[in-house]
Amino acid sequence: CSNLLLAGCFETTKEINLNEDGSGTLSNTNDMSALVGLAKQMSGKDTAKMNDEAIDTTMALSSQVDSIKGLTSGEKELMKRGTMHVNMNLKDDKFITTMKFPFITPAEIKAYNLLTGKVMAQAMKDELTKDAMGGIEDSTAPGSIDDYFILDFSKGLLVKTLNKEKYAGLANDEYLKSMKESAAMG
């Protein structure tokens, strides 16, 4: 099962590998390369110095648990199981992250979807300047396209359906509004 989201400034690819016993792996890749040029323009920093910045590493997310604000104890336990690969090269306008989480039951996928949103919001805040993000406020809770779908599980099958009630309130989603405003600025 995979999901692709194009939102102008970034591309998200989600892959779910499901084993016969219901366990599996969730992989969430975010290509935010389009934001690098915008960050360079809006940061006011010396772009020659910024072009020297490059990272290509994989880390255990257990080492980052305390750096992500607002995680519940359950989210911290889930995060400890995951890894994150960061490939950022500002000279080449490249910024790609991939988080991978093993799950024991498909029911954990929803919790991981929420967790990846929090982790990505923190990563974006840490790696890109607030000015380059168009003023997305810290108090705005990160949203996700996954919020608008219901993922049901049965033996060997994942079914994703539109949450019509949630979708009806799309116009009131503050996080998506701020992302739309940011995209309009860029």
Side-chain angles (χ1 to χ4, degrees):
C1 175
S2 65
N3 182 28
L4 179 68
L5 166 68
L6 298 174
C9 289
F10 61 92
E11 178 180 307
T12 297
T13 304
K14 187 169 296 191
E15 295 180 38
I16 301 171
N17 294 311
L18 186 62
N19 301 321
E20 286 185 30
D21 67 355
S23 67
T25 305
L26 173 66
S27 177
N28 191 11
T29 300
N30 293 286
D31 185 344
M32 298 172 283
S33 299
L35 292 173
V36 174
L38 182 61
K40 285 179 183 179
Q41 291 175 353
M42 298 183 79
S43 71
K45 291 183 180 178
D46 180 7
T47 56
K49 288 181 182 178
M50 285 182 73
N51 282 337
D52 292 337
E53 294 183 39
I55 300 169
D56 189 359
T57 189
T58 299
M59 68 186 96
L61 287 173
S62 60
S63 67
Q64 303 297 312
V65 167
D66 294 328
S67 67
I68 308 296
K69 297 175 186 171
L71 294 181
T72 66
S73 60
E75 288 171 329
K76 288 180 181 183
E77 288 305 311
L78 289 174
M79 189 170 166
K80 288 178 184 179
R81 298 184 203 167
T83 61
M84 181 178 203
H85 180 251
V86 177
N87 187 346
M88 183 176 75
N89 185 323
L90 297 183
K91 181 180 178 184
D92 297 335
D93 289 348
K94 185 177 191 176
F95 184 21
I96 300 170
T97 63
T98 301
M99 287 185 279
K100 290 187 179 184
F101 296 99
F103 56 86
I104 298 167
T105 67
E108 291 179 334
I109 294 171
K110 183 175 181 175
Y112 278 126
N113 284 338
L114 294 172
L115 178 61
T116 58
K118 286 182 179 181
V119 173
M120 286 313 304
Q122 186 69 40
M124 288 172 63
K125 190 172 98 179
D126 290 348
E127 296 299 333
L128 302 172
T129 66
K130 186 174 181 179
D131 289 339
M133 292 303 297
I136 294 175
E137 298 298 325
D138 291 340
S139 62
T140 304
S144 168
I145 194 72
D146 292 315
D147 295 345
Y148 294 92
F149 292 91
I150 300 167
L151 193 56
D152 289 316
F153 323 104
S154 61
K155 191 167 187 154
L157 183 64
L158 297 173
V159 178
K160 192 175 199 178
T161 56
L162 180 65
N163 181 338
K164 292 178 184 177
E165 184 177 315
K166 174 83 174 177
Y167 184 73
L170 179 68
N172 298 323
D173 187 317
E174 293 299 320
Y175 183 76
L176 292 178
K177 279 183 192 177
S178 64
M179 291 299 287
K180 185 177 179 181
E181 290 170 8
S182 297
M185 292 177 66

